[in-house]
Every structure is written in C-alpha cells, then in structure tokens.
Amino acid sequence: MRIIIYTGKGGVGKTSMAAATACKIAADGKKVLVMSTDPAHSLGDSFDREIGREQIKIKENLYAMEIDTIYESEKSWGNLKDYIKRLLTAKGGDGIEAEELLVFPGLEELFSMFRILDVYESGKYDTILVDCAPTGETLALLKYPEGLSRLIEKLLPIERLGVKTVGVLVEKAAKIPMPGDEVFEDVEYLMDKMKRLQRLLLDKKVVSLRVVTTPEKIVLSEAKRNFTCLYLYHYNVDAVIINHVYPPEAMDGYFCKWAKLQQEAMQEIEESFSEVPRFYVQLQKRELRTLEVLEEIGEQIFGEYNPDKVLFQKEIYKVNTEEKSLTIYLPFAEKEELRLEQNGGEILVGVKNENRRFPEPPEFSGQEISGAKYEKGYLRIFFQ
C-alpha cells in the first residue's frame, strides 16, 4: 500500500491536486481513498458532492472521506482529556479556562492521522491520498508524536500500579485526583498508536509527501521552508507540483507584467527543487471541480508518469548539531565548480552556471558559515 500526502500553503490547490492524483491512480486500476485532514474541508467541493467522515464511493476504484477532527479527538483521548481537566480544576480553577488549555496546537490533526493509520492497517486500499492542512499545521502534526509522549509522561503523577496501591491515600492527602484504569488504557492506546504512526510516516517505501506551490515569491518562500524542514525531519518529499502557471497566451495586455515575475519564480523553482521531479499545472479556463475535470487534470499533471510510485528517494539534507554542520546532497558536482554564499537567511550554492538555494536550518539561525568541505557527492557546510 502507498500513502501520498499533499501539503503546502493555503490556497495553492492542494485539494484539487490530491483529488486529481487520486483520479489518475484509480483510472489505472488501483483502489484509492482520497481523504482530507484539513478542518476547512473542500474535498466535497472539488468532487461537487457531499462527502462526510465515512468513506463513500465516487466511482469505480475511487473513494473519498473528510475526517471529522472533533469526532476523532474524542474517540482517541476522551478519558485522558477528562482526567487532565480534573487535574487542572482540582484547586478550584474555572472549567471553561481548563477546556481552553486542553486545546493543544496540532492535536486534532494528529488524531486525524490516527484515522489514516487505521485505514492503512485495514488493508482495504492500494493507495491513500491525503489532502493535509496548510504547511504550518502539517509540520506540527508530523512532529507531534514525540512531543505529546513527553507531555503525557509529565502529566500522569504516578504509575498505574502505584495508583492501585496508594492512590486513595495520595488523593486524600494532596487533593489531587488519581487516574483510573480507563485513563491508563487511553494512555497506552495513544502511546502505542503514536509509535506505529511515527514508524509508518518515516517508512519511505510507503509514505511520500508532495509539496504544492504556485510561481509567486511569497508562496514559493514558504514552499522552500516546508521542503527543507520535511527533509530535515527525515520525511521523503518525492515531488513538487507547481500550480497556476500562466500560459504564454495569457501574458498579453493586463497580465504582461506577470511574465517577468513568473519567469523569475520559475528560475528559483529550478534552483530550489532541482533534485526532485517537478510537475507544472497551467492555470485553467475553468474551476477544478467535478469528477470529469479532475480526471483530465490528473492526466495533464502526470502524463506517462505513474503517480502511485515513489518518484524520488534520497537524503538531501542532514543536520549535525554536535559539529554544527549541514550536509547537502550535490551529485555530479566538481569541487572547483562550487560556489557558496550566505544571504538573508538563505544559503546559495553555485555549481557551474546553476544556482541552488537552501533556507538556513533553524538550529543555526543567525550564525555565519565558517567553512565547507565537498566529498563523494556531499557538501558539508560548517557554522560558527
């Protein structure tokens, strides 16, 4: 089974690209589920029909669903949430304030990913296409399992065995409510599921992420940060889809000034995403909605490519905090041809007449480059 996750800045067309890809794969005979984890669901709008939290059939081999994040949240940690609320209100705190404190950023999206894990483990489909929330939420979601594990360990006052033996005495003396068996069952369920989810997301033979962007400076800047961060977290980005490309015939008259801006953006795209396959989608004369339109767009995007395959797999970036270095994959370069610059939070690497840009890793933000070494296709950049 394959899982393909589409991410990017809000408004770039993630939902349309995910839906069109699902149509293309289904047309090739695979059983596909396209699902949305974005709270602002628009998957139903793309297919021009009602889609809910249960899987429905769109056509032969193609199914869709929009995940209900509140429903998944209550299902995943209802007992634990109630216990933490009791802890927060034990000293007479306000219940409404406690409820607000329990809205952890990214948590509902994490529980949406649990639903993806459930579908994957059911084995009902050949491919799962995921229309993810915008970039920031996606990154938070992918980092969440480890962070939430630490939080739960800190919040639970004593272990399960201790609760059964001395829990009543502690509760009376300290006036702190003790968790019951149902709370520990929730914790065990969460911890186990998070471990399985993390293993799945990092399985590069199964999971690919695809970044959707448009050829505009602001959108492109976020796409580059997203791309780099995902690789630094060891997730596999196997393609970049550039949406809303103006065709040449649209560049006359009112839009003539966009020609130069788009050309510059296209050049930056080539420099920033040179390693991975890139797919360009021209701005259409009609909305990308209804099954028929999405099927056409799926063919236009991929052509002879099989979008169900892992289109690229390579560790492009690697951060070493101990030696304060960033390693970048630069195949086929010659040491004498390399040029290295640092400017405005970006690292520019020149190879012959080509330039490539990389955002500085957050770990080294504001630090100057102190040196570099190129060996066996990898450039190591050191910071001071």
Side-chain angles (χ1 to χ4, degrees):
M1 188 186 290
R2 285 275 286 126
I3 298 176
I4 305 170
I5 300 174
Y6 277 77
T7 183
K9 187 176 173 66
V12 297
K14 298 183 305 297
T15 303
S16 301
M17 297 301 102
T21 304
C23 290
K24 167 72 171 170
I25 296 172
D28 291 338
K30 297 283 184 72
K31 190 176 180 181
V32 182
L33 172 67
V34 56
M35 56 201 309
S36 171
T37 67
D38 191 339
H41 294 302
S42 57
L43 193 58
D45 298 328
S46 292
F47 284 112
D48 197 24
R49 61 177 298 175
E50 194 74 27
I51 295 175
R53 71 186 187 199
E54 299 301 329
Q55 302 149 40
I56 66 164
K57 187 173 182 177
I58 303 294
K59 58 168 283 188
E60 187 68 26
N61 292 326
L62 180 59
Y63 298 78
M65 66 180 293
E66 294 179 335
I67 296 176
D68 184 335
T69 54
I70 296 175
Y71 172 78
E72 297 298 330
S73 173
E74 288 300 319
K75 188 175 71 173
S76 296
W77 82 311
N79 294 319
L80 177 57
K81 181 180 178 182
D82 288 343
Y83 170 68
I84 296 173
K85 185 177 178 180
R86 284 168 53 214
L87 272 181
L88 293 172
T89 56
K91 298 297 183 180
D94 187 275
I96 296 176
E97 291 178 0
E99 196 72 39
E100 291 173 349
L101 287 170
L102 287 169
V103 182
F104 301 116
L107 192 58
E108 290 183 344
E109 286 82 2
L110 173 67
F111 294 139
S112 297
M113 295 299 279
F114 281 178
R115 187 61 186 274
I116 297 168
L117 178 67
D118 291 340
V119 174
Y120 172 78
E121 292 179 342
S122 75
K124 288 174 60 179
Y125 299 93
D126 298 310
T127 306
I128 302 171
L129 270 294
V130 184
D131 167 32
C132 241
T135 305
E137 287 86 344
T138 303
L139 290 175
L141 176 155
L142 294 173
K143 293 184 291 182
Y144 223 87
E146 182 182 348
L148 187 59
S149 298
R150 290 197 300 266
L151 177 65
I152 291 172
E153 288 167 1
K154 288 180 181 178
L155 281 171
L156 286 178
I158 51 180
E159 294 181 357
R160 188 173 193 162
L161 181 61
V163 168
K164 289 188 175 182
T165 54
V166 299
V168 176
L169 296 175
V170 172
E171 186 164 355
K172 286 182 177 178
K175 292 184 171 52
I176 297 174
M178 291 293 103
D181 279 347
E182 72 282 356
V183 173
F184 282 102
E185 286 168 5
D186 261 12
V187 171
E188 289 166 2
Y189 168 83
L190 276 173
M191 303 291 271
D192 175 66
K193 210 156 191 181
M194 281 189 289
K195 288 175 184 175
R196 281 156 41 215
L197 175 61
Q198 193 79 343
R199 281 198 301 269
L200 175 62
L201 291 175
L202 292 172
D203 187 342
K204 295 177 173 60
K205 294 179 181 177
V206 175
V207 179
S208 298
L209 287 97
R210 292 178 185 169
V211 176
V212 183
T213 185
T214 58
E216 301 164 79
K217 286 283 186 179
I218 295 175
V219 182
L220 188 52
S221 294
E222 181 164 330
K224 291 193 292 184
R225 287 192 296 270
N226 189 16
F227 181 85
T228 302
C229 286
L230 289 169
Y231 264 105
L232 291 176
Y233 291 127
H234 304 293
Y235 297 104
N236 188 44
V237 180
D238 75 341
V240 174
I241 297 180
I242 302 91
N243 195 17
H244 295 168
V245 177
Y246 288 109
E249 58 269 24
M251 292 300 190
D252 296 331
Y254 182 83
F255 288 99
C256 64
K257 291 185 178 179
W258 277 96
K260 185 173 185 297
L261 294 175
Q262 180 168 283
Q263 187 178 10
E264 291 173 355
M266 290 297 198
Q267 179 64 33
E268 190 170 338
I269 287 167
E270 295 291 328
E271 294 173 0
S272 302
F273 307 116
S274 59
E275 299 87 359
V276 300
R278 299 174 299 284
F279 299 92
Y280 297 87
V281 186
Q282 285 195 349
L283 185 67
Q284 303 296 304
K285 297 178 181 179
R286 53 189 171 174
E287 286 187 277
L288 301 189
R289 56 192 295 268
T290 74
L291 180 62
E292 292 73 24
V293 173
L294 292 170
E295 287 174 332
E296 288 179 26
I297 296 300
E299 286 293 335
Q300 285 182 32
I301 296 170
F302 295 103
E304 296 302 314
Y305 276 86
N306 180 357
D308 193 48
K309 298 289 186 184
V310 177
L311 302 175
F312 177 83
Q313 187 176 326
K314 188 76 179 181
E315 188 174 47
I316 300 176
Y317 313 105
K318 188 174 182 180
V319 170
N320 187 323
T321 52
E322 291 184 5
E323 67 172 18
K324 299 179 73 172
S325 70
L326 168 67
T327 300
I328 299 173
Y329 175 58
L330 282 177
F332 314 121
E334 296 292 338
K335 185 176 180 179
E336 297 75 19
E337 300 167 345
L338 291 174
R339 185 176 72 261
L340 180 63
E341 297 176 14
Q342 186 178 20
N343 183 27
E346 280 195 329
I347 298 167
L348 189 144
V349 179
V351 184
K352 291 186 177 178
N353 297 322
E354 296 183 4
N355 293 322
R356 292 170 59 191
R357 301 168 187 265
F358 308 91
E360 290 176 356
E363 294 88 342
F364 310 134
S365 179
Q367 298 183 26
E368 297 291 325
I369 293 175
S370 60
K373 183 185 294 185
Y374 181 73
E375 293 178 327
K376 298 179 180 179
Y378 288 88
L379 176 66
R380 289 169 67 204
I381 302 172
F382 301 93
F383 295 82
Q384 60 185 12

mmCIF file of all heavy atoms in Angstrom, residues 60-101:
data_model
loop_
_atom_site.group_PDB
_atom_site.id
_atom_site.type_symbol
_atom_site.label_atom_id
_atom_site.label_comp_id
_atom_site.label_asym_id
_atom_site.label_seq_id
_atom_site.Cartn_x
_atom_site.Cartn_y
_atom_site.Cartn_z
ATOM 1 N N GLU A 60 -15.829 3.837 -9.764
ATOM 2 C CA GLU A 60 -15.120 2.560 -9.657
ATOM 3 C C GLU A 60 -13.681 2.789 -9.207
ATOM 4 O O GLU A 60 -12.954 3.597 -9.793
ATOM 5 C CB GLU A 60 -15.129 1.849 -11.023
ATOM 6 C CG GLU A 60 -14.565 0.438 -10.979
ATOM 7 C CD GLU A 60 -15.449 -0.521 -10.186
ATOM 8 O OE1 GLU A 60 -16.670 -0.274 -10.100
ATOM 9 O OE2 GLU A 60 -14.908 -1.504 -9.661
ATOM 10 N N ASN A 61 -13.263 2.130 -8.134
ATOM 11 C CA ASN A 61 -11.905 2.199 -7.559
ATOM 12 C C ASN A 61 -11.606 3.493 -6.799
ATOM 13 O O ASN A 61 -10.515 3.623 -6.247
ATOM 14 C CB ASN A 61 -10.814 2.022 -8.629
ATOM 15 C CG ASN A 61 -10.785 0.627 -9.198
ATOM 16 O OD1 ASN A 61 -11.059 -0.340 -8.482
ATOM 17 N ND2 ASN A 61 -10.475 0.512 -10.482
ATOM 18 N N LEU A 62 -12.527 4.443 -6.767
ATOM 19 C CA LEU A 62 -12.239 5.746 -6.140
ATOM 20 C C LEU A 62 -13.218 6.026 -5.000
ATOM 21 O O LEU A 62 -14.436 6.059 -5.213
ATOM 22 C CB LEU A 62 -12.309 6.862 -7.179
ATOM 23 C CG LEU A 62 -12.038 8.291 -6.672
ATOM 24 C CD1 LEU A 62 -10.653 8.400 -6.056
ATOM 25 C CD2 LEU A 62 -12.204 9.309 -7.798
ATOM 26 N N TYR A 63 -12.649 6.273 -3.809
ATOM 27 C CA TYR A 63 -13.440 6.554 -2.615
ATOM 28 C C TYR A 63 -12.904 7.841 -1.970
ATOM 29 O O TYR A 63 -11.756 8.227 -2.183
ATOM 30 C CB TYR A 63 -13.351 5.396 -1.614
ATOM 31 C CG TYR A 63 -13.913 4.097 -2.163
ATOM 32 C CD1 TYR A 63 -13.175 3.320 -3.058
ATOM 33 C CD2 TYR A 63 -15.180 3.652 -1.805
ATOM 34 C CE1 TYR A 63 -13.689 2.143 -3.575
ATOM 35 C CE2 TYR A 63 -15.705 2.473 -2.306
ATOM 36 C CZ TYR A 63 -14.953 1.726 -3.198
ATOM 37 O OH TYR A 63 -15.470 0.553 -3.716
ATOM 38 N N ALA A 64 -13.752 8.483 -1.157
ATOM 39 C CA ALA A 64 -13.353 9.745 -0.532
ATOM 40 C C ALA A 64 -13.974 9.876 0.850
ATOM 41 O O ALA A 64 -15.021 9.288 1.146
ATOM 42 C CB ALA A 64 -13.774 10.928 -1.411
ATOM 43 N N MET A 65 -13.300 10.679 1.704
ATOM 44 C CA MET A 65 -13.843 10.991 3.032
ATOM 45 C C MET A 65 -13.210 12.279 3.536
ATOM 46 O O MET A 65 -12.089 12.632 3.157
ATOM 47 C CB MET A 65 -13.594 9.847 4.026
ATOM 48 C CG MET A 65 -12.129 9.614 4.359
ATOM 49 S SD MET A 65 -11.874 8.257 5.535
ATOM 50 C CE MET A 65 -12.623 8.954 7.002
ATOM 51 N N GLU A 66 -13.947 12.993 4.396
ATOM 52 C CA GLU A 66 -13.437 14.182 5.074
ATOM 53 C C GLU A 66 -13.424 13.883 6.568
ATOM 54 O O GLU A 66 -14.478 13.653 7.177
ATOM 55 C CB GLU A 66 -14.314 15.400 4.773
ATOM 56 C CG GLU A 66 -14.262 15.811 3.316
ATOM 57 C CD GLU A 66 -15.137 17.009 2.990
ATOM 58 O OE1 GLU A 66 -16.132 17.236 3.720
ATOM 59 O OE2 GLU A 66 -14.834 17.705 2.002
ATOM 60 N N ILE A 67 -12.239 13.863 7.153
ATOM 61 C CA ILE A 67 -12.098 13.447 8.545
ATOM 62 C C ILE A 67 -12.687 14.498 9.483
ATOM 63 O O ILE A 67 -12.394 15.689 9.362
ATOM 64 C CB ILE A 67 -10.616 13.183 8.881
ATOM 65 C CG1 ILE A 67 -10.093 12.008 8.049
ATOM 66 C CG2 ILE A 67 -10.435 12.900 10.362
ATOM 67 C CD1 ILE A 67 -8.629 11.729 8.219
ATOM 68 N N ASP A 68 -13.505 14.051 10.425
ATOM 69 C CA ASP A 68 -14.078 14.913 11.457
ATOM 70 C C ASP A 68 -13.092 14.945 12.625
ATOM 71 O O ASP A 68 -13.006 13.995 13.408
ATOM 72 C CB ASP A 68 -15.435 14.347 11.894
ATOM 73 C CG ASP A 68 -16.149 15.229 12.902
ATOM 74 O OD1 ASP A 68 -15.467 15.984 13.617
ATOM 75 O OD2 ASP A 68 -17.387 15.155 12.986
ATOM 76 N N THR A 69 -12.338 16.055 12.741
ATOM 77 C CA THR A 69 -11.262 16.115 13.735
ATOM 78 C C THR A 69 -11.796 16.067 15.171
ATOM 79 O O THR A 69 -11.161 15.469 16.048
ATOM 80 C CB THR A 69 -10.424 17.393 13.556
ATOM 81 O OG1 THR A 69 -11.286 18.536 13.574
ATOM 82 C CG2 THR A 69 -9.672 17.361 12.234
ATOM 83 N N ILE A 70 -12.945 16.671 15.427
ATOM 84 C CA ILE A 70 -13.509 16.659 16.787
ATOM 85 C C ILE A 70 -13.934 15.243 17.177
ATOM 86 O O ILE A 70 -13.645 14.760 18.280
ATOM 87 C CB ILE A 70 -14.710 17.625 16.883
ATOM 88 C CG1 ILE A 70 -14.236 19.063 16.638
ATOM 89 C CG2 ILE A 70 -15.391 17.507 18.237
ATOM 90 C CD1 ILE A 70 -15.345 20.082 16.580
ATOM 91 N N TYR A 71 -14.578 14.553 16.247
ATOM 92 C CA TYR A 71 -15.002 13.171 16.494
ATOM 93 C C TYR A 71 -13.794 12.271 16.757
ATOM 94 O O TYR A 71 -13.778 11.480 17.710
ATOM 95 C CB TYR A 71 -15.797 12.668 15.292
ATOM 96 C CG TYR A 71 -16.125 11.188 15.338
ATOM 97 C CD1 TYR A 71 -17.162 10.710 16.138
ATOM 98 C CD2 TYR A 71 -15.403 10.278 14.568
ATOM 99 C CE1 TYR A 71 -17.458 9.356 16.182
ATOM 100 C CE2 TYR A 71 -15.691 8.926 14.605
ATOM 101 C CZ TYR A 71 -16.717 8.470 15.409
ATOM 102 O OH TYR A 71 -16.999 7.130 15.452
ATOM 103 N N GLU A 72 -12.750 12.400 15.920
ATOM 104 C CA GLU A 72 -11.555 11.578 16.087
ATOM 105 C C GLU A 72 -10.851 11.904 17.401
ATOM 106 O O GLU A 72 -10.302 11.020 18.056
ATOM 107 C CB GLU A 72 -10.594 11.788 14.908
ATOM 108 C CG GLU A 72 -11.140 11.367 13.559
ATOM 109 C CD GLU A 72 -11.462 9.888 13.480
ATOM 110 O OE1 GLU A 72 -10.803 9.082 14.176
ATOM 111 O OE2 GLU A 72 -12.387 9.526 12.725
ATOM 112 N N SER A 73 -10.873 13.179 17.797
ATOM 113 C CA SER A 73 -10.239 13.598 19.042
ATOM 114 C C SER A 73 -10.915 12.953 20.248
ATOM 115 O O SER A 73 -10.251 12.382 21.127
ATOM 116 C CB SER A 73 -10.289 15.124 19.163
ATOM 117 O OG SER A 73 -9.829 15.554 20.422
ATOM 118 N N GLU A 74 -12.235 13.037 20.302
ATOM 119 C CA GLU A 74 -12.969 12.460 21.428
ATOM 120 C C GLU A 74 -12.780 10.946 21.485
ATOM 121 O O GLU A 74 -12.660 10.358 22.558
ATOM 122 C CB GLU A 74 -14.462 12.805 21.312
ATOM 123 C CG GLU A 74 -14.778 14.263 21.595
ATOM 124 C CD GLU A 74 -14.365 14.696 22.993
ATOM 125 O OE1 GLU A 74 -14.577 13.919 23.949
ATOM 126 O OE2 GLU A 74 -13.805 15.802 23.124
ATOM 127 N N LYS A 75 -12.752 10.320 20.322
ATOM 128 C CA LYS A 75 -12.586 8.870 20.255
ATOM 129 C C LYS A 75 -11.212 8.442 20.752
ATOM 130 O O LYS A 75 -11.056 7.385 21.367
ATOM 131 C CB LYS A 75 -12.788 8.409 18.797
ATOM 132 C CG LYS A 75 -12.838 6.899 18.631
ATOM 133 C CD LYS A 75 -13.167 6.518 17.205
ATOM 134 C CE LYS A 75 -12.006 6.805 16.257
ATOM 135 N NZ LYS A 75 -12.245 6.282 14.892
ATOM 136 N N SER A 76 -10.202 9.288 20.506
ATOM 137 C CA SER A 76 -8.825 8.910 20.798
ATOM 138 C C SER A 76 -8.396 9.193 22.226
ATOM 139 O O SER A 76 -7.591 8.459 22.787
ATOM 140 C CB SER A 76 -7.867 9.629 19.843
ATOM 141 O OG SER A 76 -8.080 9.235 18.515
ATOM 142 N N TRP A 77 -8.925 10.264 22.834
ATOM 143 C CA TRP A 77 -8.405 10.582 24.169
ATOM 144 C C TRP A 77 -9.456 11.182 25.096
ATOM 145 O O TRP A 77 -9.149 11.968 25.980
ATOM 146 C CB TRP A 77 -7.175 11.477 24.055
ATOM 147 C CG TRP A 77 -7.430 12.952 23.854
ATOM 148 C CD1 TRP A 77 -8.257 13.543 22.965
ATOM 149 C CD2 TRP A 77 -6.813 14.024 24.589
ATOM 150 N NE1 TRP A 77 -8.211 14.903 23.074
ATOM 151 C CE2 TRP A 77 -7.313 15.230 24.068
ATOM 152 C CE3 TRP A 77 -5.882 14.089 25.621
ATOM 153 C CZ2 TRP A 77 -6.926 16.474 24.538
ATOM 154 C CZ3 TRP A 77 -5.487 15.324 26.092
ATOM 155 C CH2 TRP A 77 -6.004 16.500 25.558
ATOM 156 N N GLY A 78 -10.705 10.769 24.938
ATOM 157 C CA GLY A 78 -11.789 11.310 25.762
ATOM 158 C C GLY A 78 -11.557 11.146 27.249
ATOM 159 O O GLY A 78 -11.687 12.094 28.033
ATOM 160 N N ASN A 79 -11.183 9.930 27.708
ATOM 161 C CA ASN A 79 -10.974 9.685 29.134
ATOM 162 C C ASN A 79 -9.773 10.447 29.677
ATOM 163 O O ASN A 79 -9.825 11.023 30.765
ATOM 164 C CB ASN A 79 -10.790 8.184 29.390
ATOM 165 C CG ASN A 79 -12.049 7.388 29.100
ATOM 166 O OD1 ASN A 79 -13.152 7.811 29.421
ATOM 167 N ND2 ASN A 79 -11.887 6.236 28.466
ATOM 168 N N LEU A 80 -8.682 10.450 28.905
ATOM 169 C CA LEU A 80 -7.479 11.157 29.339
ATOM 170 C C LEU A 80 -7.736 12.663 29.410
ATOM 171 O O LEU A 80 -7.297 13.348 30.343
ATOM 172 C CB LEU A 80 -6.324 10.857 28.376
ATOM 173 C CG LEU A 80 -4.993 11.566 28.645
ATOM 174 C CD1 LEU A 80 -4.488 11.253 30.050
ATOM 175 C CD2 LEU A 80 -3.955 11.170 27.604
ATOM 176 N N LYS A 81 -8.459 13.181 28.432
ATOM 177 C CA LYS A 81 -8.788 14.609 28.421
ATOM 178 C C LYS A 81 -9.608 14.984 29.654
ATOM 179 O O LYS A 81 -9.359 16.008 30.299
ATOM 180 C CB LYS A 81 -9.562 14.942 27.142
ATOM 181 C CG LYS A 81 -9.932 16.406 27.002
ATOM 182 C CD LYS A 81 -10.697 16.644 25.706
ATOM 183 C CE LYS A 81 -11.122 18.088 25.567
ATOM 184 N NZ LYS A 81 -11.912 18.325 24.334
ATOM 185 N N ASP A 82 -10.592 14.144 30.005
ATOM 186 C CA ASP A 82 -11.416 14.420 31.185
ATOM 187 C C ASP A 82 -10.563 14.415 32.452
ATOM 188 O O ASP A 82 -10.757 15.247 33.351
ATOM 189 C CB ASP A 82 -12.528 13.372 31.308
ATOM 190 C CG ASP A 82 -13.607 13.540 30.249
ATOM 191 O OD1 ASP A 82 -13.668 14.641 29.648
ATOM 192 O OD2 ASP A 82 -14.358 12.589 30.011
ATOM 193 N N TYR A 83 -9.604 13.490 32.517
ATOM 194 C CA TYR A 83 -8.744 13.417 33.705
ATOM 195 C C TYR A 83 -7.854 14.655 33.822
ATOM 196 O O TYR A 83 -7.714 15.238 34.904
ATOM 197 C CB TYR A 83 -7.887 12.151 33.671
ATOM 198 C CG TYR A 83 -6.821 12.167 34.736
ATOM 199 C CD1 TYR A 83 -7.171 12.092 36.085
ATOM 200 C CD2 TYR A 83 -5.477 12.314 34.404
ATOM 201 C CE1 TYR A 83 -6.204 12.144 37.071
ATOM 202 C CE2 TYR A 83 -4.509 12.373 35.384
ATOM 203 C CZ TYR A 83 -4.878 12.285 36.720
ATOM 204 O OH TYR A 83 -3.928 12.361 37.694
ATOM 205 N N ILE A 84 -7.251 15.068 32.708
ATOM 206 C CA ILE A 84 -6.389 16.259 32.748
ATOM 207 C C ILE A 84 -7.208 17.483 33.138
ATOM 208 O O ILE A 84 -6.742 18.354 33.890
ATOM 209 C CB ILE A 84 -5.693 16.470 31.385
ATOM 210 C CG1 ILE A 84 -4.757 15.297 31.074
ATOM 211 C CG2 ILE A 84 -4.899 17.776 31.379
ATOM 212 C CD1 ILE A 84 -4.153 15.333 29.684
ATOM 213 N N LYS A 85 -8.444 17.539 32.673
ATOM 214 C CA LYS A 85 -9.318 18.653 33.053
ATOM 215 C C LYS A 85 -9.575 18.635 34.552
ATOM 216 O O LYS A 85 -9.586 19.684 35.217
ATOM 217 C CB LYS A 85 -10.628 18.562 32.269
ATOM 218 C CG LYS A 85 -11.558 19.746 32.515
ATOM 219 C CD LYS A 85 -12.817 19.646 31.657
ATOM 220 C CE LYS A 85 -13.760 20.803 31.947
ATOM 221 N NZ LYS A 85 -14.992 20.720 31.129
ATOM 222 N N ARG A 86 -9.768 17.444 35.125
ATOM 223 C CA ARG A 86 -9.961 17.338 36.580
ATOM 224 C C ARG A 86 -8.716 17.793 37.331
ATOM 225 O O ARG A 86 -8.805 18.438 38.381
ATOM 226 C CB ARG A 86 -10.306 15.894 36.951
ATOM 227 C CG ARG A 86 -11.746 15.504 36.612
ATOM 228 C CD ARG A 86 -11.953 14.000 36.710
ATOM 229 N NE ARG A 86 -11.516 13.475 37.998
ATOM 230 C CZ ARG A 86 -10.969 12.272 38.180
ATOM 231 N NH1 ARG A 86 -10.779 11.470 37.137
ATOM 232 N NH2 ARG A 86 -10.619 11.862 39.373
ATOM 233 N N LEU A 87 -7.546 17.460 36.794
ATOM 234 C CA LEU A 87 -6.296 17.914 37.406
ATOM 235 C C LEU A 87 -6.212 19.437 37.419
ATOM 236 O O LEU A 87 -5.848 20.058 38.411
ATOM 237 C CB LEU A 87 -5.088 17.366 36.635
ATOM 238 C CG LEU A 87 -4.511 16.000 37.001
ATOM 239 C CD1 LEU A 87 -3.304 15.704 36.111
ATOM 240 C CD2 LEU A 87 -4.108 15.933 38.468
ATOM 241 N N LEU A 88 -6.564 20.045 36.299
ATOM 242 C CA LEU A 88 -6.453 21.499 36.161
ATOM 243 C C LEU A 88 -7.465 22.236 37.026
ATOM 244 O O LEU A 88 -7.241 23.386 37.415
ATOM 245 C CB LEU A 88 -6.638 21.897 34.692
ATOM 246 C CG LEU A 88 -5.545 21.433 33.721
ATOM 247 C CD1 LEU A 88 -5.952 21.712 32.283
ATOM 248 C CD2 LEU A 88 -4.218 22.120 34.026
ATOM 249 N N THR A 89 -8.598 21.596 37.330
ATOM 250 C CA THR A 89 -9.645 22.263 38.109
ATOM 251 C C THR A 89 -9.660 21.798 39.569
ATOM 252 O O THR A 89 -10.524 22.210 40.338
ATOM 253 C CB THR A 89 -11.024 21.990 37.492
ATOM 254 O OG1 THR A 89 -11.244 20.573 37.405
ATOM 255 C CG2 THR A 89 -11.115 22.594 36.100
ATOM 256 N N ALA A 90 -8.700 20.943 39.952
ATOM 257 C CA ALA A 90 -8.688 20.373 41.307
ATOM 258 C C ALA A 90 -8.569 21.442 42.385
ATOM 259 O O ALA A 90 -9.079 21.288 43.492
ATOM 260 C CB ALA A 90 -7.553 19.366 41.445
ATOM 261 N N LYS A 91 -7.875 22.521 42.090
ATOM 262 C CA LYS A 91 -7.672 23.593 43.063
ATOM 263 C C LYS A 91 -8.686 24.726 42.892
ATOM 264 O O LYS A 91 -8.421 25.871 43.258
ATOM 265 C CB LYS A 91 -6.256 24.143 42.935
ATOM 266 C CG LYS A 91 -5.157 23.122 43.215
ATOM 267 C CD LYS A 91 -5.191 22.613 44.652
ATOM 268 C CE LYS A 91 -4.037 21.643 44.934
ATOM 269 N NZ LYS A 91 -4.060 21.139 46.314
ATOM 270 N N GLY A 92 -9.825 24.397 42.279
ATOM 271 C CA GLY A 92 -10.874 25.401 42.151
ATOM 272 C C GLY A 92 -10.788 26.258 40.915
ATOM 273 O O GLY A 92 -11.387 27.335 40.857
ATOM 274 N N GLY A 93 -10.055 25.822 39.901
ATOM 275 C CA GLY A 93 -9.946 26.582 38.663
ATOM 276 C C GLY A 93 -11.252 26.572 37.893
ATOM 277 O O GLY A 93 -12.156 25.781 38.169
ATOM 278 N N ASP A 94 -11.352 27.455 36.937
ATOM 279 C CA ASP A 94 -12.563 27.577 36.141
ATOM 280 C C ASP A 94 -12.602 26.523 35.049
ATOM 281 O O ASP A 94 -11.622 26.317 34.340
ATOM 282 C CB ASP A 94 -12.638 28.983 35.514
ATOM 283 C CG ASP A 94 -13.975 29.206 34.827
ATOM 284 O OD1 ASP A 94 -14.086 28.799 33.659
ATOM 285 O OD2 ASP A 94 -14.876 29.776 35.454
ATOM 286 N N GLY A 95 -13.747 25.839 34.900
ATOM 287 C CA GLY A 95 -13.868 24.753 33.929
ATOM 288 C C GLY A 95 -13.693 25.210 32.508
ATOM 289 O O GLY A 95 -13.128 24.512 31.682
ATOM 290 N N ILE A 96 -14.169 26.415 32.166
ATOM 291 C CA ILE A 96 -14.056 26.917 30.800
ATOM 292 C C ILE A 96 -12.600 27.179 30.457
ATOM 293 O O ILE A 96 -12.112 26.832 29.385
ATOM 294 C CB ILE A 96 -14.901 28.202 30.636
ATOM 295 C CG1 ILE A 96 -16.377 27.876 30.833
ATOM 296 C CG2 ILE A 96 -14.675 28.816 29.262
ATOM 297 C CD1 ILE A 96 -17.294 29.079 30.797
ATOM 298 N N GLU A 97 -11.855 27.776 31.414
ATOM 299 C CA GLU A 97 -10.428 28.025 31.175
ATOM 300 C C GLU A 97 -9.677 26.716 30.989
ATOM 301 O O GLU A 97 -8.792 26.605 30.145
ATOM 302 C CB GLU A 97 -9.831 28.808 32.347
ATOM 303 C CG GLU A 97 -10.341 30.242 32.452
ATOM 304 C CD GLU A 97 -9.764 30.945 33.660
ATOM 305 O OE1 GLU A 97 -8.987 30.313 34.396
ATOM 306 O OE2 GLU A 97 -10.094 32.121 33.860
ATOM 307 N N ALA A 98 -10.025 25.717 31.790
ATOM 308 C CA ALA A 98 -9.366 24.409 31.668
ATOM 309 C C ALA A 98 -9.632 23.807 30.301
ATOM 310 O O ALA A 98 -8.748 23.223 29.678
ATOM 311 C CB ALA A 98 -9.859 23.471 32.767
ATOM 312 N N GLU A 99 -10.849 23.946 29.808
ATOM 313 C CA GLU A 99 -11.210 23.426 28.489
ATOM 314 C C GLU A 99 -10.364 24.087 27.408
ATOM 315 O O GLU A 99 -9.902 23.432 26.462
ATOM 316 C CB GLU A 99 -12.694 23.681 28.220
ATOM 317 C CG GLU A 99 -13.278 22.864 27.079
ATOM 318 C CD GLU A 99 -13.433 21.397 27.427
ATOM 319 O OE1 GLU A 99 -13.807 21.085 28.563
ATOM 320 O OE2 GLU A 99 -13.166 20.563 26.539
ATOM 321 N N GLU A 100 -10.137 25.393 27.559
ATOM 322 C CA GLU A 100 -9.319 26.116 26.584
ATOM 323 C C GLU A 100 -7.867 25.654 26.640
ATOM 324 O O GLU A 100 -7.189 25.557 25.611
ATOM 325 C CB GLU A 100 -9.400 27.617 26.858
ATOM 326 C CG GLU A 100 -10.770 28.218 26.550
ATOM 327 C CD GLU A 100 -10.891 29.662 26.979
ATOM 328 O OE1 GLU A 100 -9.987 30.133 27.707
ATOM 329 O OE2 GLU A 100 -11.873 30.324 26.602
ATOM 330 N N LEU A 101 -7.368 25.341 27.848
ATOM 331 C CA LEU A 101 -5.986 24.883 27.985
ATOM 332 C C LEU A 101 -5.766 23.528 27.329
ATOM 333 O O LEU A 101 -4.639 23.179 26.975
ATOM 334 C CB LEU A 101 -5.609 24.796 29.472
ATOM 335 C CG LEU A 101 -5.401 26.123 30.204
ATOM 336 C CD1 LEU A 101 -5.276 25.885 31.700
ATOM 337 C CD2 LEU A 101 -4.179 26.868 29.672
#
